[in-house]
Amino acid sequence: MTTPFRPHPLMRGAHAQTALPALFRPSPFVDWRLDHLETQDGDVITVGHFGPENGPVLALLHGLGGCLESTYLCATARRMAARGWHCIGVQQRGAGPTPNRLARSYNHGASDDIAWILQQLAARHPKVTRAAVGWSLGGNVLLKTLGEMGARAPVDAAVAVSVPFRLAPCVEHLQMGTARVYQAYLLKNLKAAVRRKHGPVPLPPGADLEKALAAKCFRDFDNAYTAPCNDYADANDYYARASCGQYLAGVTIPTRIIHALDDPMMVPSIVPEPDTLPANIELDLHERGGHVGFVSRNNSGLPQMWLEHIIGDWLEARLGAPEAAQAAELESA
């Protein structure tokens, strides 16, 4: 299934689609009601609630370096709350301004955390429709979770955006040309989080904080820090086991994957052939759109965030619209 996306005429390029919304779009205010979930291994994961309490539930999973304040997540929460959904922003383990308790942190392969969170939400909201949306890393780990859980997945539909189906080629791509700018930006944020976390939290055997902080590329950072902190043998093992593409055949719920071939952080060759996917997965593939961009033009010629409209439209076409929408000012914010 392909829904037409036409980039704004002044933002046709991949870098404009990717960078301009991230740099210049103000993050909409969301008054999250925070809930701190105690994990079975003694850590804590924070989720934020927003929207009508009795509405269908939508879990929102941020990307690498994201948190409950991420612009794309907050904007989607406001729009979906206005449509009557109870939005639950998931600040994955170790994300956000406050370090978590353990050396372990969120990563592309942390599907056990996402499965546990989705099960917690299902237990707390057993009588309503439930769905999930993930962007970039959040989309990857969501699809991995759904593939591993199969028919046990406690959600009725899912959307994943700008997904790195195979991590190793993306990591290699990020070491070349202008893609290095994105790598440098993401590594800077990761290193800041690592500095905040250690030493209050001791490093596990094999982790090398000095090498991680000196890393110039993701592979060096993941070898020094991500892999040893999260029970991977090394970066290659992490990329091989965490890539979501190999798990797609196990996804059983209606799922839409929205992806742009010009994504500047990835390469087109990672995208699976549509005929290899199960019938319940709709691959919505576009020539343009950048990474978590998809900025179109509204009737007045102003930029419009196409993703935020299409996600709600698709979910409600599959699952039905909530019985009552919220106040119009949320929708227009």
Side-chain angles (χ1 to χ4, degrees):
M1 174 182 176
T2 300
T3 303
F5 165 71
R6 297 179 178 85
H8 193 285
L10 300 180
M11 300 175 63
R12 290 179 57 81
H15 299 302
Q17 285 281 324
T18 302
L20 293 182
L23 293 174
F24 299 112
R25 186 189 185 195
S27 184
F29 174 71
V30 174
D31 189 14
W32 296 109
R33 179 175 61 81
L34 298 181
D35 188 6
H36 305 288
L37 305 179
E38 295 283 337
T39 65
Q40 294 175 324
D41 59 357
D43 214 337
V44 62
I45 297 175
T46 298
V47 301
H49 298 259
F50 183 69
E53 290 291 334
N54 59 349
V57 166
L58 180 62
L60 306 170
L61 305 178
H62 61 77
L64 185 64
C67 64
L68 287 179
E69 302 305 317
S70 294
T71 300
Y72 54 86
L73 190 148
C74 289
T76 302
R78 288 187 65 88
R79 189 166 298 279
M80 294 303 291
R83 298 175 77 141
W85 289 74
H86 178 66
C87 295
I88 301 179
V90 179
Q91 189 157 271
Q92 299 178 62
R93 185 194 296 242
T98 304
N100 61 312
R101 301 168 185 163
L102 304 182
R104 180 182 173 181
S105 60
Y106 77 101
N107 61 83
H108 280 278
S111 50
D112 54 340
D113 271 355
I114 303 305
W116 180 77
I117 290 168
L118 295 179
Q119 289 165 339
Q120 295 294 307
L121 299 184
R124 298 182 183 200
H125 306 271
K127 298 181 180 181
V128 299
T129 299
R130 296 179 298 274
V133 178
W135 295 265
S136 194
L137 176 149
N140 185 89
V141 72
L142 174 60
L143 292 174
K144 181 175 184 284
T145 303
L146 298 177
E148 290 173 336
M149 298 189 79
R152 297 181 294 108
V155 290
D156 302 298
V159 178
V161 179
S162 299
V163 173
F165 300 94
R166 292 190 291 124
L167 288 167
C170 298
V171 167
E172 297 304 318
H173 172 70
L174 284 164
Q175 297 184 51
M176 298 183 291
T178 55
R180 291 177 296 178
V181 175
Y182 299 105
Q183 177 176 248
Y185 174 79
L186 292 169
L187 278 175
K188 179 182 178 181
N189 291 337
L190 287 174
K191 291 175 184 180
V194 167
R195 290 188 183 95
R196 287 195 299 269
K197 184 170 180 175
H198 305 286
V201 178
L203 286 166
D208 190 321
L209 187 61
E210 184 176 347
K211 285 186 177 179
L213 295 178
K216 302 298 184 183
C217 65
F218 275 118
R219 184 175 293 278
D220 289 347
F221 181 88
D222 292 333
N223 269 320
Y225 187 81
T226 310
C229 287
N230 294 284
D231 295 325
Y232 297 105
D234 54 22
N236 286 334
D237 182 46
Y238 170 41
Y239 304 149
R241 290 165 53 193
S243 298
C244 73
Q246 62 198 304
Y247 300 97
L248 297 179
V251 177
T252 62
I253 63 169
T255 299
R256 186 174 193 179
I257 303 174
I258 304 173
H259 194 83
L261 291 173
D262 71 345
D263 190 317
M265 300 190 196
M266 305 179 195
V267 289
S269 61
I270 65 169
V271 180
E273 292 295 328
D275 59 5
T276 66
L277 300 175
N280 53 286
I281 293 183
E282 301 174 10
L283 180 58
D284 194 1
L285 197 58
H286 302 269
E287 291 291 334
R288 298 181 182 272
H291 185 78
V292 193
F294 294 96
V295 184
S296 61
R297 177 182 180 178
N298 67 14
N299 293 333
S300 301
L302 298 175
Q304 175 177 272
M305 306 310 293
W306 177 85
L307 270 178
E308 292 155 23
H309 293 272
I310 209 67
I311 287 171
D313 291 346
W314 185 85
L315 286 173
E316 292 178 5
R318 295 299 175 275
L319 303 177
E323 293 182 1
Q326 290 299 289
E329 60 265 20
L330 281 176
E331 173 70 23
S332 61

